[in-house]
Amino acid sequence: DALYNRGVARGEAGDAKGALEAYMLARKMCEEADGLKTAEGAKLLNNIGVTMGQLGDPSGALRVYAEAQGIREESDTLETADGADVLYNIGVATGQLGNADEEIDAYSKARQIRERTGTLETPEGAKLLNNMGVATMGRKGDPETALEVYCKAYDIRKKTSTLVTSDGADVLYNIGVARGQCRDLQGALEA
């Protein structure tokens, strides 16, 4: 627990390398105590994956996310907000590796879990939708579908008072781009 918290603190301070070191020590201790195959172990693995991604290793991150997903499936904890986060991160990593179909599939699964668990209407749900839109428009060339997803993310950001944030600005920017791609130039200017 202390090593996990140290990893979180280092990550929040911008020390991804130090965070990964702490997380890897925590992983080793969990493995030695047979505690990795739990929801808490899966959360640790998810954080390891995020940190590996920050350090430019999406392939390594994807391997760790797959392990976390397996643990969540075995422990019946995939149908949670934390489980949706693992799937979201799988989407991010597969997108970084250039696989748009797997990226969108992972985001769709994460969205379904968030809808079933009532956690889509959160800032994390809005971020998921924004990334779905980026993958749908940028990688699949479908601005109409992307615009629908961005508008849902916008509504959530507005409801959760998180529109005036950098993530909220990303949603507004993406709405403008999508409207421009849909030839709605007036709407693009308004976004």
Side-chain angles (χ1 to χ4, degrees), residues 10 16 38 79 101 110 141 143 155 164 167 189:
R10 286 185 174 174
T38 64
E79 287 286 321
D101 291 332
D155 290 342
V164 184
D167 287 337
L189 289 173

Side-chain angles (χ1 to χ4, degrees), residues 30 40 42 59 96 112 117 164 167:
C30 282
E40 293 78 20
S59 295
Q96 290 171 338
Q112 291 167 0
T117 59
V164 184
D167 287 337

Side-chain angles (χ1 to χ4, degrees), residues 132-156:
M132 280 183 85
V134 169
T136 302
M137 188 168 79
R139 295 178 196 32
K140 295 301 249 180
D142 184 356
E144 290 84 9
T145 302
L147 184 56
E148 290 175 26
V149 176
Y150 291 142
C151 287
K152 176 71 175 164
Y154 171 85
D155 290 342
I156 293 170

